[in-house]
Amino acid sequence: MAKLFLEVVTPDKVLVSQEVDSVVAPGSLGEFGVLPGHISFLSGIVPGELRYSDGADRESMLVTTGFAEVSNDKVSILVDAAEKAGEIDLGRANQAIERARGRLEKNRHDENIDLSRAEAAVERAVVRVKIAEKLI
Amino acid sequence: MATLRDILRKIEAVKKTKQITKAMNMVAAARLRSTQGRMESFEPYATKFAEVLGNLSSGMDPEIHPLLVKKDEIKKTELLHFTSDRGLCGSFNSNTINMAEKWVKDQQQNDRDYGLTLVGRKGRDYFRRRGANITTSHIQIYEQVDISFVNKMTREFTDRYLDEGVDEVYMIYTRFFSLGKQEPTLVKLIPIEPPESEGSAKGPAAEYLCEPSAEELLIELLPKHISVQIYNAFLQNEVSENAARMAAMDNATKNCSEMIEDLTLVFNKVRQAAITAELMDIVGGAEAIKKA
């Protein structure tokens, strides 16, 4: 069966570079799936869970904003940061939620703080915990 | 004429200097390796990014995003300038500062208002002494720079471009070509000139299904393009700095060795002269006694 080649690239390193059967990614217009033979495709990526499977192996990882390109059965995902589910530290992720929420509460009336960004930080932290918990 | 003891002391001093420069050379070499690693791991990201952006922007109308539109009249400009935090790296800093100085003169000649955003202590000290218009300066951040810091910087620049009347943004950093060659480079950051697409003019819409539309995607990618360039500059500059320091320290070590050799030669000559003089004394004395 035809395979996809998946690459997950961040500015720091190439996180994934392998053959897979399918990819499901959080696009800016909703989650999308890619199977071999997919049409050439470009999409924004929003913070969320990226899943891919190779045979019986299933992997899940956290990605932040970026974009994805699909062409000739090659999927390139370029994001600011990504973490494999197994590498997320649940304790630290939970702390991050608390920290982000605290900051949001404390500064709700401070006009200098960009509220939408603070909210995005909370959301990111929550997604990270969700992914980590699912794994355990 | 210097005494034996003076020369000996000098030799010891130079030996110690040599030890220090040698150690610094090795530290720079180690740092170079690690920063070079980071630069190389960024490359796949940057390459892929340029490729996609090039594909996407070919055949696109520049009017769709203000960051692509050239302003008719240039009145205010901004420069992002990279230097190192520490010295002892040869002509590394003076080269890039010269270039920045030339840029500033250029702005003044054309009656433009300019602002400087400085990264690195050396550049900040230099321009502060001269009372240049410094917008912001960042020192000692090379070790902690990550993409989110760069994104913040990009946002500041784009905000200034869109809202505060800055008409052009430039950047000067030292580009790393090889261990023996690093050169200061001037790049125009905003308005953005998108990289040329390599695969002729196929047009993005025909080739890709885009989600959301190609225009919207491009708008999202443009600020990122600036971030990628700035981040690249950070990495290149750091690698160049370490390469320059390594070369400078290598030279210094060589010069120390040469100096030690020369001084040892002088030392031996002086010693020989002293022995000869003493011998003459003794022989002369003995002759005198014999005659008496």
Side-chain angles (χ1 to χ4, degrees):
Chain A
M1 194 181 118
K3 287 249 190 185
L4 284 169
F5 191 78
L6 172 69
E7 263 189 328
V8 178
V9 188
T10 70
D12 296 325
K13 59 182 170 202
V14 178
L15 220 73
V16 179
S17 176
Q18 66 173 85
E19 291 210 315
V20 296
D21 288 327
S22 74
V23 179
V24 176
S28 34
L29 295 186
E31 208 164 58
F32 64 87
V34 183
L35 289 169
H38 198 284
I39 187 176
S40 289
F41 177 64
L42 266 177
S43 169
I45 294 277
V46 294
E49 185 189 11
L50 172 79
R51 295 191 300 273
Y52 57 92
S53 63
D54 179 25
D57 286 341
R58 275 161 212 287
E59 279 273 11
S60 162
M61 64 195 300
L62 167 82
V63 293
T64 59
T65 51
F67 64 93
E69 184 204 31
V70 183
S71 72
N72 296 328
D73 281 348
K74 188 162 179 279
V75 185
S76 312
I77 307 232
L78 272 77
V79 285
D80 283 353
E83 256 175 293
K84 283 192 181 170
E87 289 162 6
I88 299 176
D89 182 334
L90 196 58
R92 258 185 50 203
N94 270 317
Q95 275 169 18
I97 294 191
E98 289 310 312
R99 220 175 29 242
R101 282 218 176 103
R103 208 160 37 220
L104 190 61
E105 277 314 309
K106 206 167 67 202
N107 299 314
R108 200 168 272 291
H109 305 292
D110 186 344
E111 281 173 13
N112 293 324
I113 296 288
D114 191 341
L115 268 186
S116 60
R117 271 185 56 215
E119 269 159 11
V122 173
E123 201 179 310
R124 249 195 330 269
V126 171
V127 171
R128 177 184 288 147
V129 170
K130 267 192 199 144
I131 295 173
E133 270 172 349
K134 210 165 103 182
L135 194 81
I136 296 167
Chain B
M1 182 126 202
T3 64
L4 275 181
R5 191 186 298 248
D6 285 340
I7 299 172
L8 211 56
R9 200 179 291 141
K10 184 94 199 210
I11 292 178
E12 287 305 314
V14 176
K15 265 188 192 157
K16 277 177 191 147
T17 310
K18 185 180 162 185
Q19 272 173 357
I20 293 171
T21 55
K22 209 168 167 186
M24 286 180 75
N25 173 291
M26 287 193 291
V27 171
R31 285 233 169 99
L32 178 74
R33 260 196 301 279
S34 83
T35 48
Q36 218 170 358
R38 266 166 58 207
M39 188 174 85
E40 272 156 23
S41 49
F42 178 60
E43 219 172 88
Y45 187 93
T47 317
K48 190 79 209 169
F49 190 93
E51 196 185 305
V52 170
L53 190 70
N55 277 340
L56 205 55
S57 61
S58 65
M60 195 82 76
D61 184 3
E63 297 289 312
I64 60 159
H65 197 285
L67 285 177
L68 287 169
V69 181
K70 287 196 180 76
K71 296 197 185 170
D72 298 333
E73 215 182 343
I74 314 293
K75 285 212 158 139
K76 202 169 161 195
T77 50
E78 177 91 27
L79 176 69
L80 170 62
H81 184 224
F82 290 89
T83 49
S84 71
D85 285 316
R86 274 167 298 184
L88 292 180
C89 40
S91 55
F92 175 79
N93 284 314
S94 56
N95 281 348
T96 111
I97 286 177
N98 278 346
M99 194 170 202
E101 185 85 348
K102 220 163 82 195
W103 181 87
V104 168
K105 275 206 190 95
D106 226 36
Q107 308 309 309
Q108 285 166 339
Q109 265 165 21
N110 289 316
D111 264 335
R112 294 171 185 163
D113 215 6
Y114 72 93
L116 298 173
T117 298
L118 304 172
V119 175
R121 188 199 303 273
K122 290 284 157 184
R124 185 201 64 173
D125 290 353
Y126 178 90
F127 285 107
R128 200 160 59 181
R129 264 201 306 279
R130 275 157 190 77
N133 304 339
I134 300 175
T135 319
T136 29
S137 58
H138 305 275
I139 56 168
Q140 287 190 322
I141 51 163
Y142 283 104
E143 319 248 291
Q144 330 152 12
V145 161
D146 58 5
I147 198 75
S148 69
F149 178 87
V150 173
N151 283 340
K152 216 169 80 198
M153 244 171 147
T154 303
R155 207 151 38 231
E156 279 167 23
F157 283 126
T158 49
D159 284 353
R160 262 178 244 155
Y161 182 77
L162 298 175
D163 307 328
E164 292 170 33
V166 172
D167 302 315
E168 276 181 338
V169 180
Y170 290 87
M171 160 171 93
I172 292 180
Y173 69 98
T174 305
R175 204 169 143 200
F176 179 81
F177 291 93
S178 70
L179 276 178
K181 191 177 170 207
Q182 305 95 36
E183 274 177 9
T185 317
L186 178 71
V187 181
K188 189 196 254 181
L189 274 183
I190 319 178
I192 297 171
E193 283 155 5
E196 288 297 312
S197 132
E198 281 171 23
S200 66
K202 275 178 275 179
E207 214 195 331
Y208 285 102
L209 178 71
C210 293
E211 189 177 285
S213 71
E215 281 85 5
E216 279 173 78
L217 256 181
L218 185 61
I219 287 168
E220 230 178 274
L221 288 190
L222 285 174
K224 271 226 153 74
H225 177 57
I226 302 174
S227 294
V228 167
Q229 279 182 298
I230 296 181
Y231 193 62
N232 184 41
F234 262 107
L235 295 175
Q236 297 243 355
N237 200 70
E238 210 183 344
V239 173
S240 299
E241 176 196 338
N242 284 317
R245 177 165 299 121
M246 209 173 101
M249 287 302 115
D250 195 41
N251 268 337
T253 311
K254 268 190 206 132
N255 288 343
C256 282
S257 305
E258 238 169 68
M259 213 167 158
I260 291 171
E261 237 167 72
D262 290 349
L263 282 171
T264 312
L265 210 64
V266 175
F267 176 79
N268 287 341
K269 268 186 194 159
V270 173
R271 190 178 61 112
Q272 195 62 57
I275 292 169
T276 313
E278 211 164 297
L279 263 180
M280 299 257 285
D281 255 9
I282 295 169
V283 172
E287 288 290 319
I289 291 168
K290 224 187 255 172
K291 270 182 192 158

